[in-house]
Amino acid sequence: MKQYICLFQKDNVKFHVTQCGLEEIARVAFIRGSGARGLRSITENVLMQTMYVVPSIPSCHTVYLDAAAVRGERSPILFKSPDMTVEKYEAMIQNENIDDIDGADPVSIDHTESDAFAEEEVA
Protein backbone atom coordinates (compact mmCIF):
# COMPACT_ATOMS: atom_id res chain seq x y z
CA MET A 1 0.00 0.00 0.00
CA LYS A 2 2.96 2.29 0.59
CA GLN A 3 3.62 2.62 -3.14
CA TYR A 4 0.03 3.79 -3.73
CA ILE A 5 0.26 6.25 -0.84
CA CYS A 6 3.41 7.70 -2.47
CA LEU A 7 1.85 7.67 -5.93
CA PHE A 8 -1.20 9.66 -4.86
CA GLN A 9 0.90 11.99 -2.67
CA LYS A 10 2.56 13.25 -5.87
CA ASP A 11 -0.82 14.83 -6.65
CA ASN A 12 -1.37 15.99 -3.04
CA VAL A 13 -4.00 13.28 -2.57
CA LYS A 14 -4.30 11.01 0.45
CA PHE A 15 -4.94 7.30 -0.04
CA HIS A 16 -7.13 5.48 2.49
CA VAL A 17 -7.80 1.77 2.34
CA THR A 18 -10.15 0.30 4.91
CA GLN A 19 -9.40 -2.81 6.94
CA CYS A 20 -12.18 -4.61 5.07
CA GLY A 21 -10.60 -3.48 1.79
CA LEU A 22 -7.24 -4.96 2.80
CA GLU A 23 -8.92 -8.18 3.89
CA GLU A 24 -10.79 -8.43 0.58
CA ILE A 25 -7.56 -7.97 -1.41
CA ALA A 26 -5.95 -10.74 0.68
CA ARG A 27 -9.02 -12.97 0.24
CA VAL A 28 -8.94 -12.59 -3.55
CA ALA A 29 -5.19 -13.32 -3.61
CA PHE A 30 -5.71 -16.41 -1.46
CA ILE A 31 -8.50 -17.70 -3.73
CA ARG A 32 -6.23 -17.17 -6.76
CA GLY A 33 -3.35 -18.86 -4.99
CA SER A 34 -1.08 -15.88 -5.57
CA GLY A 35 1.43 -14.31 -3.22
CA ALA A 36 2.69 -10.77 -2.79
CA ARG A 37 2.73 -10.13 -6.54
CA GLY A 38 -0.91 -11.16 -6.60
CA LEU A 39 -1.72 -8.60 -3.92
CA ARG A 40 -0.03 -5.90 -6.00
CA SER A 41 -1.77 -7.01 -9.20
CA ILE A 42 -5.21 -7.04 -7.56
CA THR A 43 -4.68 -3.60 -6.02
CA GLU A 44 -3.36 -2.17 -9.28
CA ASN A 45 -6.34 -3.50 -11.24
CA VAL A 46 -8.77 -1.97 -8.74
CA LEU A 47 -6.97 1.40 -8.80
CA MET A 48 -6.08 1.60 -12.52
CA GLN A 49 -8.87 3.99 -13.49
CA THR A 50 -8.36 5.97 -10.29
CA MET A 51 -4.65 6.47 -10.99
CA TYR A 52 -5.60 7.78 -14.44
CA VAL A 53 -8.25 10.32 -13.36
CA VAL A 54 -6.91 11.71 -10.06
CA PRO A 55 -4.24 13.97 -11.61
CA SER A 56 -6.92 15.71 -13.67
CA ILE A 57 -9.21 16.45 -10.69
CA PRO A 58 -7.68 19.28 -8.66
CA SER A 59 -10.49 19.19 -6.07
CA CYS A 60 -9.77 15.55 -5.17
CA HIS A 61 -7.98 15.30 -1.83
CA THR A 62 -8.55 11.65 -0.84
CA VAL A 63 -8.99 8.28 -2.54
CA TYR A 64 -11.08 5.85 -0.45
CA LEU A 65 -10.81 2.13 -1.16
CA ASP A 66 -13.01 -0.41 0.60
CA ALA A 67 -14.14 -4.01 0.10
CA ALA A 68 -17.01 -3.01 -2.21
CA ALA A 69 -14.54 -1.38 -4.59
CA VAL A 70 -12.18 -4.37 -4.43
CA ARG A 71 -15.08 -6.72 -5.26
CA GLY A 72 -15.99 -4.52 -8.23
CA GLU A 73 -19.40 -3.57 -6.86
CA ARG A 74 -18.47 0.07 -7.47
CA SER A 75 -15.39 2.18 -8.10
CA PRO A 76 -13.14 3.65 -5.41
CA ILE A 77 -14.47 6.91 -3.95
CA LEU A 78 -12.90 10.33 -4.50
CA PHE A 79 -13.36 12.92 -1.77
CA LYS A 80 -13.68 16.30 -3.47
CA SER A 81 -15.32 18.47 -0.84
CA PRO A 82 -12.81 20.09 1.55
CA ASP A 83 -15.21 19.21 4.40
CA MET A 84 -15.26 15.47 3.62
CA THR A 85 -13.12 13.26 5.84
CA VAL A 86 -12.82 9.51 6.12
CA GLU A 87 -14.56 9.59 9.49
CA LYS A 88 -17.41 11.77 8.21
CA TYR A 89 -17.85 9.62 5.10
CA GLU A 90 -17.94 6.37 7.07
CA ALA A 91 -20.56 7.82 9.42
CA MET A 92 -22.64 9.02 6.47
CA ILE A 93 -22.63 5.71 4.58
CA GLN A 94 -24.20 4.04 7.60
CA ASN A 95 -27.30 6.22 7.17
CA GLU A 96 -27.39 7.28 3.52
CA ASN A 97 -27.23 5.89 0.02
CA ILE A 98 -23.69 6.30 -1.25
CA ASP A 99 -25.01 8.10 -4.37
CA ASP A 100 -26.55 10.84 -2.22
CA ILE A 101 -23.35 11.96 -0.45
CA ASP A 102 -22.10 15.33 -1.68
CA GLY A 103 -18.35 15.68 -2.04
CA ALA A 104 -17.67 11.94 -2.33
CA ASP A 105 -18.00 10.45 -5.80
CA PRO A 106 -17.14 7.09 -7.34
CA VAL A 107 -14.31 7.24 -9.86
CA SER A 108 -15.46 7.62 -13.45
CA ILE A 109 -13.82 8.61 -16.68
CA ASP A 110 -15.71 11.28 -18.57
CA HIS A 111 -16.25 10.20 -22.17
CA THR A 112 -14.75 13.42 -23.50
CA GLU A 113 -11.57 12.85 -21.49
CA SER A 114 -11.21 9.25 -22.63
CA ASP A 115 -11.99 10.21 -26.26
CA ALA A 116 -9.35 12.95 -26.16
CA PHE A 117 -6.85 10.48 -24.69
CA ALA A 118 -7.59 7.95 -27.46
CA GLU A 119 -7.14 10.66 -30.11
CA GLU A 120 -3.76 11.61 -28.63
CA GLU A 121 -2.59 7.99 -28.79
CA VAL A 122 -3.64 7.69 -32.44
CA ALA A 123 -1.87 10.89 -33.47
Side-chain angles (χ1 to χ4, degrees):
M1 291 303 132
K2 288 181 183 179
Q3 74 184 60
Y4 298 104
I5 291 169
C6 291
L7 177 75
F8 289 117
Q9 277 180 343
K10 291 179 182 180
D11 293 305
N12 295 316
V13 173
K14 296 175 188 167
F15 176 62
H16 179 82
V17 59
T18 64
Q19 184 64 35
C20 64
L22 290 171
E23 291 170 3
E24 187 65 20
I25 292 168
R27 187 186 71 76
V28 172
F30 180 77
I31 289 170
R32 291 182 183 175
S34 57
R37 289 185 188 182
L39 296 171
R40 181 175 177 262
S41 173
I42 293 161
T43 306
E44 191 159 305
N45 285 335
V46 171
L47 291 173
M48 185 65 66
Q49 191 176 38
T50 307
M51 293 185 290
Y52 172 75
V53 299
V54 163
S56 64
I57 305 174
S59 62
C60 177
H61 62 82
T62 303
V63 172
Y64 181 89
L65 180 66
D66 62 1
V70 175
R71 287 190 298 267
E73 295 170 7
R74 63 161 168 71
S75 297
I77 302 295
L78 303 180
F79 294 173
K80 298 177 185 176
S81 169
D83 300 335
M84 186 58 67
T85 64
V86 170
E87 295 79 13
K88 183 176 179 179
Y89 178 76
E90 288 179 343
M92 293 174 83
I93 61 174
Q94 298 300 318
N95 303 318
E96 296 180 42
N97 181 342
I98 194 167
D99 297 328
D100 297 334
I101 299 175
D102 289 332
D105 302 310
V107 173
S108 68
I109 295 180
D110 183 279
H111 292 294
T112 56
E113 289 176 343
S114 61
D115 292 344
F117 181 73
E119 289 173 10
E120 287 176 15
E121 284 190 341
V122 172

